[in-house]
Amino acid sequence: MRRQLAAAARLMAALFPAELYLRGWGCAVPGVEPASATSGAGGMPGWARFRMGRPLDGGERCRAGLPSMSLLHVRVVSPADLRDEVEALLRGQRGATNLVVLPGAAREPRGDLIQADLARECVQTVLSGLRGLGVDRRGSISLHAVDTAIGDGVRRAERNAPGDAADAVIWDEVVSSTGEDSTLTWVFMAFMVLACLLAAIGIATNSPITIVGAMVVGPEFGPLAAIAVGLRLHRMDAVRRGIIALVAGFAGAIAATAAVALLWRATGLVDAGNLAHSTGTEYIYHPGWFSLLTALVAGAAGMLALTSAKSAALVGVFISVTTIPAAGNLALALVFGRFHDAAGSAFQLVINLTGIVTAAYLVLLARGHSRLSNDRPSRYDTTS
C-alpha cells in the first residue's frame, strides 16, 4: 500500500512540480504545494506530502490569478465628435477595464477606435448607451468573448460589476444567435433531413441510441428560440423567419424520409412488422401530459441556457424532446399504412413545438427586458 501511495505521489509531483493555479482564486493554491524533502510520519517521503486547503505565503502568492471568465471585449468605431461621450460611457462602468482610445485609427467607417473589456453584467447597459448616442448608425459596435484575462484590473472589474454574470442577458447576442440558427439554409435543411433519417432508422431497428443521436443532430431548437425571442421583443421578422424554417424544414425532412422509407419497403429492408415490434419507441406516437411537461421544462432550460451563455446545457435540451423522432415516425407510419401512429406522431410533434416556444417565451418574460424603447437591433446585426 505504501509503495502504491509513493508511486501516486511521484506522479503528482511530476504533473504539479510547483503550484496549482485554480480559476477564480486570485492565489496559488488550495491545491498543491510540495513540502520539505524530509521524511514524514509513517515513513512517507517528504516530497510525497502536500499542504492542502490554504494559500501559499508572501511572495509566493499568485500575483495574477485567473478570475472566472465572464468578460467580453467591446470594440467601437465612433465618429470623432462622439469620442468623448463614448469614452465617458465606458469609464462610468464599474465593470470596465483595459480601456484603449485610438483617435483617428479607423478607416472604414472613418473615426476613432475605442476598445474595452467589460464584465458581462455591464454589456447590455453599454450597448444601450452606445445605441442612444447613435454609434450603431454612424459607426460600428462589435463584441468578442474573452477566453483568458490576467491582471488586478480584470479581477477588480468583475468584482465591482453589479449583479451576477450568469443572470445578465445581452439581448443583441440573443437576437443574433437565434437569428443565425433560424435561417432557412441548405445546411439547416441537410441537418433536418439527416436527423429525421436517423430517427427513422432508430425506429425501424428499435434502437433508442440511434434515436437519441437523431435528437442531438436536429437543429430545430434554433427556429423555436427565434420565435420566442421575436414574440418577446415584438420582432415579427424573427417570428416569420423561425416559422418558415420550421415548416419548410420539417416538411422537407418528412418528405425525404418518406421517400427513403418507400425504398426500404420496395426492397424488403423494412416492413410493417418491424414497426409493430419496435416496442421501445411507443412514446413517440403516444403523447400524453408528460409530453407537454417535458416540452415545457426543456424549452425553459434551453432558453435559460441561451440567455446565460451556458450552451453546454443545450445538448440535454435536444435529447429531452421528441420533435425529430416524431417527424421520422410520421414519415414511416404514412408509408407503411399505420395511420393511427402517424396521427399520434403528428400530435406529439405539435405538443413539443408549442410547449418549447411557450416555455421559452415565459423564461424571457421572467428574465426581464432592459432595452430602451428605441434600442431595437437591426435584422442585419451580427456578433462574432
Side-chain angles (χ1 to χ4, degrees), residues 77-102:
V77 174
S78 167
D81 60 300
L82 294 179
R83 181 183 65 208
D84 292 341
E85 293 178 84
V86 172
E87 183 177 351
L89 174 64
L90 292 171
R91 283 184 180 277
Q93 297 301 315
R94 290 183 295 165
T97 187
N98 299 333
L99 177 61
V100 177
V101 179
L102 300 173

Side-chain angles (χ1 to χ4, degrees), residues 187-210:
V187 172
F188 177 85
M189 282 298 303
F191 273 114
M192 286 293 291
V193 171
L194 293 174
C196 205
L197 285 172
L198 275 177
I201 293 171
I203 294 167
T205 60
N206 198 21
S207 171
I209 297 300
T210 306

Side-chain angles (χ1 to χ4, degrees), residues 45-348:
W47 52 262
R49 293 183 292 112
F50 300 89
R51 186 170 68 194
M52 307 296 291
R54 58 185 186 276
L56 302 181
D57 299 325
E60 292 183 325
R61 289 182 69 88
C62 174
R63 287 168 292 280
L66 298 179
S68 58
M69 286 297 102
S70 59
L71 291 178
L72 278 85
H73 180 75
V74 59
R75 184 175 62 198
V76 181
V77 174
S78 167
D81 60 300
L82 294 179
R83 181 183 65 208
D84 292 341
E85 293 178 84
V86 172
E87 183 177 351
L89 174 64
L90 292 171
R91 283 184 180 277
Q93 297 301 315
R94 290 183 295 165
T97 187
N98 299 333
L99 177 61
V100 177
V101 179
L102 300 173
R107 295 294 180 266
E108 182 56 43
R110 185 169 295 277
D112 302 331
L113 178 61
I114 304 172
Q115 304 180 91
D117 292 333
L118 297 173
R120 185 178 177 86
E121 302 92 308
C122 301
V123 173
Q124 186 58 53
T125 300
V126 169
L127 290 177
S128 296
L130 292 173
R131 286 180 179 277
L133 292 173
V135 174
D136 58 322
R137 294 185 295 274
R138 300 177 56 195
S140 70
I141 308 166
S142 62
L143 296 174
H144 306 272
V146 177
D147 295 326
T148 303
I150 301 173
D152 290 342
V154 173
R155 290 196 301 276
R156 187 164 51 250
E158 289 209 321
R159 183 174 62 248
N160 294 340
D164 190 270
D167 294 331
V169 181
I170 304 175
W171 291 97
D172 292 85
E173 183 180 63
V174 173
V175 171
S176 178
S177 61
T178 55
E180 181 180 353
D181 293 340
S182 65
T183 303
L184 181 60
T185 63
W186 287 110
V187 172
F188 177 85
M189 282 298 303
F191 273 114
M192 286 293 291
V193 171
L194 293 174
C196 205
L197 285 172
L198 275 177
I201 293 171
I203 294 167
T205 60
N206 198 21
S207 171
I209 297 300
T210 306
I211 295 174
V212 170
M215 293 176 176
V216 175
V217 172
E220 75 281 8
F221 184 75
L224 292 170
I227 292 172
V229 170
L231 292 173
R232 178 66 184 91
L233 301 181
H234 308 291
R235 294 189 49 151
M236 291 303 105
D237 59 323
V239 175
R240 285 193 298 271
R241 187 166 57 244
I243 291 175
I244 290 172
L246 282 177
V247 172
F250 275 109
I254 291 172
T257 303
V260 173
L262 286 171
L263 181 61
W264 291 346
R265 190 179 69 175
T267 58
L269 187 61
V270 178
D271 57 36
N274 294 120
L275 302 184
H277 291 91
S278 187
T279 57
T281 59
E282 296 96 337
Y283 65 93
I284 296 174
Y285 50 88
H286 285 162
W289 284 109
F290 278 105
S291 299
L292 177 60
L293 291 175
T294 300
L296 291 172
V297 172
M303 186 52 69
L304 194 61
L306 193 64
T307 55
S308 61
K310 302 293 184 182
S311 58
L314 288 174
V315 176
V317 174
F318 300 154
I319 298 174
S320 300
V321 292
T322 54
T323 50
I324 290 294
N329 193 67
L330 175 58
L332 284 178
L334 289 174
V335 169
F336 288 94
R338 299 174 63 86
F339 300 114
H340 182 270
D341 292 353
S345 297
F347 189 36
Q348 179 78 276

Side-chain angles (χ1 to χ4, degrees), residues 38-46 49:
T38 59
S39 297
M44 182 176 289
R49 293 183 292 112

